[in-house]
Amino acid sequence: VSTSGTGPLYSLRMQTPRIDRKGYVAPTAAVIGAVTALGFTSIWFSTVVLADGAPITIGKNSNVQDNSILISDAERGPLVVGEDVTIGHNVRIRSCQIGNRCLIGMGSEVCDNVVVEDGAIVGARAYVEPGTVVKAGYIWAGRPATEFREVKPEEHKMFRRGTEVYVGYSQT
C-alpha cells in the first residue's frame, strides 16, 4: 500500500513508502520517503522512519516500537533491518545494518556504519559507536557498548516469542 501524505505515510524526493498489506503502521507514526516494510512488520505510535536520500528496509516479522527514530540519508547510506527483529521503545538508529533475529533494547542508540550480526542483542540504553560490529550471538551493553556475554539459548527463545507477540498485535 502506498500513499502520498495521507495519514502516517509521506512521500519525499519523489520516493513513497511501500508497506506490505499484512503490515501495520500506527496512525501517529511518520513513515517518510523510500521506506520498504515487508510482510507482518509493525511500526508503532509516535515512531519516525525517515529515508532522506537513501532507502530504509524493514524485514518481515520485525517491529519498531513506540517513540523510536530511524533515519538514513544520502551522505551516510541506507538502513537495513533484517527479519524477526525487535526494536524497542525510544530507540535511535542511523544508517547501519541490523541482521536477522536481533533485539535492539529500549532507549539504545545505534550509530552510522554499525553492523549488528544475526542473533545479536544490543542492551537497553546502550550506545553503539559508529563503525562497531556487534558480533552474532552476543549481548552488547554499556555507553559505549562493548561485548557483555553470549546470548543464552533460553533468551533466544524468549525474544523470539516477543517477536511473535508483536506480529500478533499488528494483525489485531
Side-chain angles (χ1 to χ4, degrees), residues 109-110 124 156:
E109 185 171 351
V110 180
H156 276 298

Side-chain angles (χ1 to χ4, degrees), residues 76-156:
R76 293 178 176 93
L79 192 166
V80 177
V81 175
E83 297 181 359
D84 302 310
V85 172
T86 292
I87 296 173
H89 298 78
N90 301 305
V91 170
R92 306 296 179 257
I93 301 177
R94 292 297 305 224
S95 297
C96 68
Q97 172 126 12
I98 297 172
N100 299 320
R101 299 171 311 284
C102 295
L103 172 69
I104 309 300
M106 293 188 291
S108 62
E109 185 171 351
V110 180
C111 295
D112 291 325
N113 301 313
V114 168
V115 175
V116 179
E117 295 180 345
D118 292 350
I121 294 174
V122 172
R125 300 211 44 184
Y127 176 78
V128 184
E129 294 182 300
T132 300
V133 176
V134 177
K135 297 292 184 186
Y138 282 86
I139 299 172
W140 281 54
R143 300 182 72 79
T146 58
E147 187 179 295
F148 178 64
R149 66 170 168 81
E150 282 191 73
V151 180
K152 297 174 184 173
E154 60 270 19
E155 290 171 324
H156 276 298

Side-chain angles (χ1 to χ4, degrees), residues 155-172:
E155 290 171 324
H156 276 298
K157 287 180 184 175
M158 181 177 64
F159 294 132
R160 174 68 186 153
R161 178 69 185 123
T163 302
E164 292 169 357
V165 166
Y166 270 88
V167 167
Y169 288 163
S170 73
Q171 299 308 292
T172 311

Side-chain angles (χ1 to χ4, degrees), residues 53-70:
I56 295 175
T57 304
I58 302 170
K60 72 178 187 172
N61 299 327
S62 292
N63 62 86
V64 183
Q65 296 174 9
D66 307 64
N67 300 314
S68 290
I69 300 173
L70 281 65

